[in-house]
Amino acid sequence: MYLTQLNVNNFRRLKDFSLNLNNGLNLLVGENNAGKTSIVDAIRVVLDTTSAEWVSLNATDFFVGESELLINLKFDDLSENETGIFLEHLTNEDVPAGNNRPVLYVSLSAKLSEHPFRKTQFIKTEIRSGANCDGPIIERDIREYLATTYLKPLRDAEAELSAGRSSRLSQILGSNSALAGDVDAIKRIIELLTQASQNIQSDMAIQTAQTNIASLLNSLTFKSNTFNPVMSLLGSNDYAEMSEPEKSQAIKSILEKLTLELDASGVKHGLGYSSLLFMAAELMLIKQEKDQFPLLLIEEPEAHLHPQLQLKFIKYLRAEKNQLQCILSTHSPVLASKAPLESLILMQDGKAFPLRKGSSKLAPDDYIFLEKFLDSTKANMFFARGVLLVEGVAEVVLLPVIAELLDRSLEDYGVSLVNVNGLSRKRYAKIYRSNPASKNPQHLPIKVACVTDVDLWPSEAEDTSDNDYGFKKKKRPKDTGQGGNLSYWLNELTDQQIQQKKDKKQEFDGELVKTFISDDWTFEFCLAKYGLGKEVYEAINGNTDSYDNLNEDDHIRAIQLYGSIEGKGDRKSEVSYSLSNILSKFKGRPEELKKKLPPYIIKAIEYVTEPLLTEVGSE
């Protein structure tokens, strides 16, 4: 059995919310206040948890202005045993083959009301079965089967594993699948502690202390009352003399005295490994509870874990996907980059956008490609309010600097800049396009600007005997019709062919995905042509001494400058880094810089931030 669907009305940020879940791993990703915790808590408040932590509703859990809420959970793929447990609560649903199968709906309805006499608010809740919350009430003892394991964010792992009354460790060890289910083990442990207690009591020092305490105590009481205080670990009775309730209390007392540590060295370890130890204990309990519903809820599993440990953790969960259903919320690009792409659920403004197959425009081969090349730097895109997809180092280095100088800092607007390669840009863009054929297509409210080069070469750049600033060779196809580069030359293409090339670059535009194509040739070429020629020259040469010797025509001069950049080969990125420093002279002069920038760059930055004013920076 697994949780297949969640429907929520008026719970916190979730006004009218629906989400289908995977039967393995589900990774909720997104910025703060996107609704990730609301999903986890909606499940917790219906199912309760395996720990002793009390989960209940309060007035702030209702959507603003609403006094009623409903949380509906649907469970599918029930085993024969589970069908028997929930027999009177099952709903038969049709399946495509024409048959039907039993599913379980568990719904919590709540109403916020005013007390008629005390002028205070109270919440009335009911938990029923049925698709429309119209089935019989589900009793507490039956619902305990569905109790989920929950690991809260920024958990104090050391405290959870330390000795104490009703400690989490004692609850884990006290489960029926652990010590509490082994009668022989309980007998051995109680007898060990009973014997230890008797040995302590017979020690001379302990007896002397008991006598001294008794003497002082009896001097403070009436003569008709005499006491003989006894120090013990577990009480005075032997195991054979204990009743069943006494045995249960004895083992509970023993387990509450235990602490789980990483090793016996006594050395205090860091929070990260303590957190892993705690998660290992919880996972052990889930694996042992074979007769229980295995659902794990974790908020921020990355808490206290460095990236390599995060990788180990997500690798384990991927391996257990057929044995354990997990719902995790995270802010970690490391986890997002190594989880299966189909397991990701993007959260934004209280809405969910799953990336499972069929929910977006991603094709099957896109999943294979993206999982191979989606690293933690690119996974930042899943947590952003806006995304800039670029295709080269120059854009990666210079666009954030240019945006900052225009008073449109990418960080201020929550924009992630992601460097992709060539056609793979389209694969990344498709993540943000919904599949119109899906049952309930939703448009991601994230603006995505794809910045790409037009990659069409001007005829003036051709290297010929009478062109001293040309540096590109025109290569015609061989006799077989293969090879050549004529499709890149503007003067070899018709207007229709040029437009077709541009349309191909924009083929996945739509909703909030928009492609911004360079006004000419490439990014660096445009910078040199539209007003930053002198700055580009300085970045190439380290000075501007001979800048005036270049051709006076902006177009020809840009070809000369871009040829110098291309001539640097693997060192061409150095020009970008140098130019980023040179551009700092425009700090506080955004309007002046704006006049020197190619239009497509300005439009792309405006799209993912906000429009520039006539006088930039004069807000």
Side-chain angles (χ1 to χ4, degrees), residues 18 48 129 209 222 268 306 342 365 476 511 547:
S18 180
D48 213 340
S129 57
F222 297 112
K268 184 177 177 64
H306 65 76
E342 283 194 86
D365 63 321
R476 299 193 175 276
E511 298 170 33
Y547 175 72

Side-chain angles (χ1 to χ4, degrees), residues 241-289:
E241 299 173 353
M242 291 182 182
S243 63
E244 290 303 318
E246 287 176 327
K247 293 175 184 176
S248 296
Q249 183 58 40
I251 193 64
K252 180 176 182 294
S253 177
I254 292 170
L255 297 180
E256 288 176 346
K257 291 180 173 64
L258 297 178
T259 295
L260 181 60
E261 297 178 341
L262 280 161
D263 54 44
S265 66
V267 175
K268 184 177 177 64
H269 293 275
L271 294 174
Y273 282 104
S274 295
S275 183
L276 278 181
L277 180 62
F278 175 51
M279 287 191 281
E282 291 284 6
L283 290 168
M284 176 205 72
L285 178 60
I286 293 176
K287 290 177 73 72
Q288 290 179 339
E289 296 279 6

Side-chain angles (χ1 to χ4, degrees), residues 199-457:
N199 292 339
I200 288 172
Q201 289 175 10
S202 63
D203 184 84
M204 185 76 68
I206 295 295
Q207 289 182 351
T208 299
Q210 288 177 169
T211 300
N212 292 337
I213 293 171
S215 176
L216 284 169
L217 175 62
N218 289 324
S219 69
L220 298 173
T221 61
F222 297 112
K223 288 187 177 182
S224 58
N225 295 332
T226 57
F227 298 95
N228 294 302
V230 174
M231 296 184 191
S232 70
L233 291 174
L234 201 61
S236 303
N237 290 343
D238 290 332
Y239 180 83
E241 299 173 353
M242 291 182 182
S243 63
E244 290 303 318
E246 287 176 327
K247 293 175 184 176
S248 296
Q249 183 58 40
I251 193 64
K252 180 176 182 294
S253 177
I254 292 170
L255 297 180
E256 288 176 346
K257 291 180 173 64
L258 297 178
T259 295
L260 181 60
E261 297 178 341
L262 280 161
D263 54 44
S265 66
V267 175
K268 184 177 177 64
H269 293 275
L271 294 174
Y273 282 104
S274 295
S275 183
L276 278 181
L277 180 62
F278 175 51
M279 287 191 281
E282 291 284 6
L283 290 168
M284 176 205 72
L285 178 60
I286 293 176
K287 290 177 73 72
Q288 290 179 339
E289 296 279 6
K290 297 188 183 299
D291 296 329
Q292 294 291 312
F293 166 56
L295 174 61
L296 175 64
L297 304 176
I298 308 182
E299 292 196 76
E300 300 175 18
E302 69 272 17
H304 311 307
L305 300 182
H306 65 76
Q308 282 70 31
L309 285 180
Q310 293 179 42
L311 293 175
K312 288 283 289 183
F313 181 70
I314 200 69
K315 181 180 179 181
Y316 172 83
L317 292 182
R318 291 187 68 157
E320 293 291 318
K321 65 180 182 179
N322 295 326
Q323 306 296 324
L324 175 68
Q325 185 178 23
C326 305
I327 301 174
L328 285 68
S329 69
T330 183
H331 295 119
S332 169
V334 174
L335 293 178
S337 68
K338 293 306 177 185
L341 195 59
E342 283 194 86
S343 71
L344 265 60
I345 300 170
L346 307 189
M347 294 297 302
Q348 190 84 338
D349 297 332
K351 293 181 176 142
F353 304 89
L355 295 187
R356 71 173 59 87
K357 290 176 182 173
S359 296
S360 70
K361 278 190 172 290
L362 289 170
D365 63 321
D366 292 328
Y367 287 92
I368 298 171
F369 176 90
L370 291 171
E371 286 190 23
K372 184 176 180 180
F373 293 104
L374 186 64
D375 58 26
S376 59
T377 57
K378 294 181 178 65
N380 277 316
M381 64 194 293
F382 298 133
F383 303 89
R385 293 187 174 186
V387 178
L388 265 173
L389 295 177
V390 301
E391 298 175 339
V393 174
E395 290 91 336
V396 171
V397 173
L398 291 168
L399 282 183
V401 174
I402 292 172
E404 181 83 34
L405 293 170
L406 292 175
D407 290 338
R408 292 297 180 267
S409 167
L410 301 183
E411 290 83 2
D412 289 345
Y413 292 87
V415 175
S416 285
L417 188 147
V418 181
N419 184 21
V420 297
N421 294 314
L423 293 177
S424 67
R425 166 182 54 82
K426 297 179 182 180
R427 297 183 189 269
Y428 288 92
K430 286 193 281 184
I431 290 173
Y432 298 91
R433 290 296 316 277
S434 63
N435 181 1
S438 61
K439 188 175 182 181
N440 295 304
Q442 293 193 82
H443 298 173
L444 257 170
I446 298 175
K447 287 186 175 181
V448 180
C450 304
V451 178
T452 184
D453 294 336
V454 68
D455 277 329
L456 293 175
W457 308 341

